[in-house]
Amino acid sequence: VQLVESGGGLVQAGESLRLSCAASGFAYDDYGVGWFRQAAGKEREAVGCVHVTKGQLHTAYYADFSRGRFSISGDKPESSNDNTESTIYLQMNGVKPEDTAVYYCAAGWGYACYPGLRDDDYDSWGQGAQVTVSS
């Protein structure tokens, strides 16, 4: 599985930012894509996830801090009929300085997406995207 992230950068508090995760190479069409973040000197924490089945997105789950400000969506490349690839987005609205972190997308089996998702349920990871929020 290949995961390529894009969209990180420097933003001011209160602004919006969208991260993208191009996911491909799944050997199955039922998978979960999670977003995690790690701030300097802190442990990695879950942001949220979405369950994808046969190219269709199902219910997304969010950590308490992200619910209401962040949202996860996605689509399949228009040119592709392949249900084993998609682009998953993390829309971040009203960002705060405490949202500064490296953000990672990760992939696992479909069951990996549930309330209270854990990073050890995900076995493929993107390279990370730095998000810096200035006050």
Side-chain angles (χ1 to χ4, degrees):
V1 176
Q2 293 78 47
L3 302 167
V4 179
E5 300 170 26
S6 59
L10 174 65
V11 294
Q12 292 190 336
E15 293 184 342
S16 297
L17 188 68
R18 189 176 78 165
L19 302 181
S20 300
C21 175
S24 63
F26 291 98
Y28 39 89
D29 59 7
D30 182 348
Y31 55 89
V33 176
W35 286 95
F36 298 82
R37 71 182 188 181
Q38 187 167 21
K42 296 187 177 181
E43 293 188 354
R44 186 164 57 194
E45 63 179 346
V47 177
C49 64
V50 66
H51 183 191
V52 183
T53 303
K54 298 186 184 301
Q56 300 297 315
L57 271 66
H58 299 283
T59 303
Y61 299 102
Y62 299 92
D64 288 344
F65 74 85
S66 64
R67 192 176 301 112
R69 290 194 302 126
F70 296 1
S71 63
I72 298 173
S73 62
D75 53 38
K76 195 167 62 174
E78 289 185 7
S79 61
S80 173
N81 292 317
D82 189 346
N83 288 329
T84 62
E85 59 181 42
S86 60
T87 299
I88 305 299
Y89 305 101
L90 176 66
Q91 178 69 41
M92 306 165 59
N93 297 326
V95 295
K96 305 174 181 180
E98 52 263 43
D99 293 323
T100 295
V102 178
Y103 285 72
Y104 298 91
C105 65
W109 289 95
Y111 67 74
C113 183
Y114 58 91
L117 67 153
R118 295 166 52 92
D119 58 4
D120 54 9
D121 284 328
Y122 292 80
D123 47 25
S124 298
W125 290 79
Q127 80 280 9
Q130 176 69 48
V131 172
T132 303
V133 183
S134 63
S135 58

